[in-house]
Amino acid sequence: MKTAFQFFVRITDGLTVITGWVAALCLVAAALIVTEAVIVRKLLGISTIWQIEASVFLLIFTVFVGAPFVQKNEHHLNVDLVIIHLSPRTREITLIGVSIVSCILTAILAWYAWPMWWETVVNNEHSESLWGPPLWIPFLFLPLGMTLLFLQYIVFIGRKIERLRKGDIETKVLPSELAEVKLNKETAPSE
């Protein structure tokens, strides 16, 4: 059982790293495309047709398909106002609980997004712009990203549970902006 989970983790992490780097390249490509569009339009006076739509598609890819990479490296934004005050074990259990809820939400999004994508494929839908690319391409990004994020949450939850069982719990809260804020009479606003 352990080797099956380790194989699942390696496959999921490998896919996540690949898609994460592709998402980073898409972000760079979107910036270059927008820059090219500005130069072509302002300096050469040539109308642009495809640049804005292509850059939007690339940014959509970056957001949805790049999300599992962010989750893998635990860099999602957290509101840790409450969690920083919990005991280490309670904090880990809370993180597992929140991750389970997030995993369920990403599964629901993926479940409903795959048929939406398939409908654009079957109906051969295209954008209404002059460029007119097929819509199955940007519609693929949501189900693909949510499926990978779902798998990455399963890996994250499995790792957290394993660390909790072994007693390998971080006792120190990772520093964040909120953890460093100290409220006392000197910093409180005076009336």
Side-chain angles (χ1 to χ4, degrees):
M1 182 69 172
K2 228 178 188 187
T3 57
F5 183 71
Q6 289 171 345
F7 179 72
F8 172 75
V9 167
R10 286 189 13 225
I11 295 293
T12 302
D13 281 348
L15 285 171
T16 299
V17 168
I18 291 168
T19 57
W21 280 104
V22 171
L25 291 174
C26 285
L27 185 60
V28 171
L32 292 173
I33 289 171
V34 169
T35 303
E36 184 268 342
V38 169
I39 291 170
V40 166
R41 180 178 287 162
K42 296 297 178 186
L43 294 180
L44 304 176
I46 300 172
S47 179
T48 57
I49 295 174
W50 61 273
Q51 287 89 340
I52 296 299
E53 199 165 19
S55 63
V56 168
F57 289 175
L58 290 170
L59 291 175
I60 292 170
F61 182 91
T62 300
V63 169
F64 288 119
V65 184
F69 186 76
V70 175
Q71 174 59 34
K72 176 187 179 305
N73 296 309
E74 297 185 44
H75 290 296
H76 274 132
L77 292 176
N78 294 318
V79 179
D80 57 1
L81 185 62
V82 174
I83 204 164
I84 60 174
H85 300 291
L86 299 175
S87 69
R89 184 168 178 77
T90 306
R91 183 175 57 245
E92 293 298 312
I93 292 170
T94 304
L95 288 173
I96 291 170
V98 169
S99 297
I100 289 170
V101 170
S102 298
C103 185
I104 291 168
L105 289 174
T106 57
I108 291 169
L109 278 170
W111 181 263
Y112 285 103
W114 280 112
M116 180 182 70
W117 166 76
W118 184 245
E119 188 175 319
T120 62
V121 172
V122 170
N123 295 333
N124 195 25
E125 295 178 23
H126 285 73
S127 169
E128 294 180 8
S129 69
L130 288 174
W131 182 36
L135 286 177
W136 69 265
I137 297 168
F139 275 60
L140 176 64
F141 303 155
L142 176 64
L144 177 63
M146 290 302 105
T147 301
L148 290 173
L149 186 58
F150 167 75
L151 297 174
Q152 194 58 55
Y153 268 119
I154 290 173
V155 169
F156 179 79
I157 293 165
R159 285 176 174 157
K160 283 281 185 192
I161 290 172
E162 186 65 29
R163 288 180 63 201
L164 197 61
R165 282 186 183 156
K166 289 180 179 177
D168 184 19
I169 302 171
E170 272 191 51
T171 56
K172 187 177 180 184
V173 178
L174 296 174
S176 71
E177 290 179 28
L178 291 177
E180 296 170 2
V181 173
K182 295 181 182 175
L183 296 176
N184 56 31
K185 292 183 180 180
E186 291 86 34
T187 60
S190 60
E191 294 181 27

